[in-house]
mmCIF file of all heavy atoms in Angstrom:
data_model
loop_
_atom_site.group_PDB
_atom_site.id
_atom_site.type_symbol
_atom_site.label_atom_id
_atom_site.label_comp_id
_atom_site.label_asym_id
_atom_site.label_seq_id
_atom_site.Cartn_x
_atom_site.Cartn_y
_atom_site.Cartn_z
ATOM 1 N N ALA A 78 14.109 7.446 6.691
ATOM 2 C CA ALA A 78 13.485 8.553 7.416
ATOM 3 C C ALA A 78 14.267 9.845 7.232
ATOM 4 O O ALA A 78 13.690 10.923 7.023
ATOM 5 C CB ALA A 78 13.373 8.198 8.896
ATOM 6 N N GLU A 79 15.589 9.750 7.288
ATOM 7 C CA GLU A 79 16.418 10.940 7.116
ATOM 8 C C GLU A 79 16.317 11.476 5.683
ATOM 9 O O GLU A 79 16.275 12.689 5.470
ATOM 10 C CB GLU A 79 17.872 10.613 7.447
ATOM 11 C CG GLU A 79 18.111 10.275 8.918
ATOM 12 C CD GLU A 79 19.515 9.776 9.179
ATOM 13 O OE1 GLU A 79 20.276 9.635 8.187
ATOM 14 O OE2 GLU A 79 19.863 9.515 10.345
ATOM 15 N N ALA A 80 16.259 10.574 4.722
ATOM 16 C CA ALA A 80 16.223 10.997 3.321
ATOM 17 C C ALA A 80 14.898 11.655 2.953
ATOM 18 O O ALA A 80 14.861 12.546 2.095
ATOM 19 C CB ALA A 80 16.484 9.790 2.420
ATOM 20 N N LEU A 81 13.806 11.231 3.586
ATOM 21 C CA LEU A 81 12.479 11.765 3.248
ATOM 22 C C LEU A 81 12.132 13.023 4.020
ATOM 23 O O LEU A 81 11.117 13.664 3.729
ATOM 24 C CB LEU A 81 11.405 10.708 3.516
ATOM 25 C CG LEU A 81 11.438 9.446 2.654
ATOM 26 C CD1 LEU A 81 10.320 8.500 3.067
ATOM 27 C CD2 LEU A 81 11.309 9.790 1.172
ATOM 28 N N ARG A 82 12.933 13.377 4.986
ATOM 29 C CA ARG A 82 12.590 14.482 5.889
ATOM 30 C C ARG A 82 12.347 15.781 5.139
ATOM 31 O O ARG A 82 11.495 16.597 5.527
ATOM 32 C CB ARG A 82 13.712 14.654 6.911
ATOM 33 C CG ARG A 82 13.398 15.621 8.039
ATOM 34 C CD ARG A 82 14.471 15.537 9.100
ATOM 35 N NE ARG A 82 14.526 14.193 9.683
ATOM 36 C CZ ARG A 82 15.596 13.684 10.277
ATOM 37 N NH1 ARG A 82 16.725 14.381 10.325
ATOM 38 N NH2 ARG A 82 15.562 12.471 10.810
ATOM 39 N N ASP A 83 13.073 16.024 4.054
ATOM 40 C CA ASP A 83 12.983 17.306 3.342
ATOM 41 C C ASP A 83 11.824 17.369 2.356
ATOM 42 O O ASP A 83 11.529 18.454 1.836
ATOM 43 C CB ASP A 83 14.291 17.576 2.582
ATOM 44 C CG ASP A 83 15.480 17.747 3.538
ATOM 45 O OD1 ASP A 83 15.257 18.143 4.687
ATOM 46 O OD2 ASP A 83 16.612 17.455 3.111
ATOM 47 N N VAL A 84 11.159 16.257 2.073
ATOM 48 C CA VAL A 84 10.127 16.276 1.025
ATOM 49 C C VAL A 84 8.738 15.906 1.538
ATOM 50 O O VAL A 84 7.749 16.134 0.830
ATOM 51 C CB VAL A 84 10.504 15.326 -0.130
ATOM 52 C CG1 VAL A 84 11.802 15.755 -0.782
ATOM 53 C CG2 VAL A 84 10.572 13.885 0.334
ATOM 54 N N VAL A 85 8.627 15.349 2.735
ATOM 55 C CA VAL A 85 7.320 14.857 3.173
ATOM 56 C C VAL A 85 6.292 15.972 3.319
ATOM 57 O O VAL A 85 5.091 15.749 3.119
ATOM 58 C CB VAL A 85 7.447 14.087 4.506
ATOM 59 C CG1 VAL A 85 8.189 12.783 4.299
ATOM 60 C CG2 VAL A 85 8.145 14.940 5.570
ATOM 61 N N GLU A 86 6.733 17.185 3.650
ATOM 62 C CA GLU A 86 5.783 18.279 3.836
ATOM 63 C C GLU A 86 5.158 18.750 2.530
ATOM 64 O O GLU A 86 4.153 19.456 2.534
ATOM 65 C CB GLU A 86 6.490 19.461 4.530
ATOM 66 C CG GLU A 86 7.023 19.134 5.919
ATOM 67 C CD GLU A 86 5.928 18.686 6.869
ATOM 68 O OE1 GLU A 86 4.783 19.164 6.721
ATOM 69 O OE2 GLU A 86 6.221 17.863 7.754
ATOM 70 N N VAL A 87 5.741 18.365 1.408
ATOM 71 C CA VAL A 87 5.220 18.791 0.104
ATOM 72 C C VAL A 87 3.970 18.005 -0.264
ATOM 73 O O VAL A 87 3.135 18.473 -1.047
ATOM 74 C CB VAL A 87 6.308 18.610 -0.980
ATOM 75 C CG1 VAL A 87 5.795 19.017 -2.359
ATOM 76 C CG2 VAL A 87 7.552 19.417 -0.606
ATOM 77 N N TYR A 88 3.793 16.830 0.327
ATOM 78 C CA TYR A 88 2.733 15.917 -0.089
ATOM 79 C C TYR A 88 1.691 15.733 1.016
ATOM 80 O O TYR A 88 1.977 15.859 2.210
ATOM 81 C CB TYR A 88 3.329 14.553 -0.454
ATOM 82 C CG TYR A 88 4.292 14.615 -1.613
ATOM 83 C CD1 TYR A 88 5.665 14.776 -1.405
ATOM 84 C CD2 TYR A 88 3.837 14.534 -2.923
ATOM 85 C CE1 TYR A 88 6.550 14.843 -2.468
ATOM 86 C CE2 TYR A 88 4.715 14.597 -3.992
ATOM 87 C CZ TYR A 88 6.066 14.752 -3.764
ATOM 88 O OH TYR A 88 6.936 14.816 -4.823
ATOM 89 N N ASP A 89 0.461 15.419 0.577
ATOM 90 C CA ASP A 89 -0.607 15.090 1.527
ATOM 91 C C ASP A 89 -0.417 13.687 2.083
ATOM 92 O O ASP A 89 -0.701 13.430 3.249
ATOM 93 C CB ASP A 89 -1.981 15.183 0.828
ATOM 94 C CG ASP A 89 -2.270 16.583 0.319
ATOM 95 O OD1 ASP A 89 -2.075 17.547 1.094
ATOM 96 O OD2 ASP A 89 -2.686 16.728 -0.849
ATOM 97 N N LEU A 90 0.027 12.777 1.238
ATOM 98 C CA LEU A 90 0.248 11.384 1.641
ATOM 99 C C LEU A 90 1.518 10.869 0.988
ATOM 100 O O LEU A 90 1.779 11.149 -0.185
ATOM 101 C CB LEU A 90 -0.926 10.493 1.216
ATOM 102 C CG LEU A 90 -2.253 10.656 1.960
ATOM 103 C CD1 LEU A 90 -3.352 9.877 1.248
ATOM 104 C CD2 LEU A 90 -2.129 10.181 3.394
ATOM 105 N N VAL A 91 2.294 10.122 1.749
ATOM 106 C CA VAL A 91 3.480 9.442 1.215
ATOM 107 C C VAL A 91 3.310 7.953 1.485
ATOM 108 O O VAL A 91 3.245 7.528 2.640
ATOM 109 C CB VAL A 91 4.782 9.950 1.862
ATOM 110 C CG1 VAL A 91 5.978 9.167 1.315
ATOM 111 C CG2 VAL A 91 4.964 11.450 1.609
ATOM 112 N N PHE A 92 3.207 7.166 0.429
ATOM 113 C CA PHE A 92 3.067 5.717 0.548
ATOM 114 C C PHE A 92 4.427 5.061 0.296
ATOM 115 O O PHE A 92 5.075 5.344 -0.707
ATOM 116 C CB PHE A 92 2.057 5.171 -0.474
ATOM 117 C CG PHE A 92 0.636 5.551 -0.180
ATOM 118 C CD1 PHE A 92 0.025 6.591 -0.855
ATOM 119 C CD2 PHE A 92 -0.099 4.860 0.761
ATOM 120 C CE1 PHE A 92 -1.280 6.949 -0.592
ATOM 121 C CE2 PHE A 92 -1.413 5.198 1.038
ATOM 122 C CZ PHE A 92 -2.007 6.246 0.367
ATOM 123 N N VAL A 93 4.839 4.198 1.209
ATOM 124 C CA VAL A 93 6.079 3.447 1.041
ATOM 125 C C VAL A 93 5.708 1.999 0.772
ATOM 126 O O VAL A 93 5.132 1.322 1.635
ATOM 127 C CB VAL A 93 6.977 3.544 2.296
ATOM 128 C CG1 VAL A 93 8.279 2.790 2.060
ATOM 129 C CG2 VAL A 93 7.267 5.002 2.643
#
Side-chain angles (χ1 to χ4, degrees):
E79 294 172 357
L81 294 179
R82 189 171 298 156
D83 296 334
V84 299
V85 291
E86 298 301 328
V87 179
Y88 298 93
D89 298 312
L90 289 170
V91 178
F92 290 100
V93 182

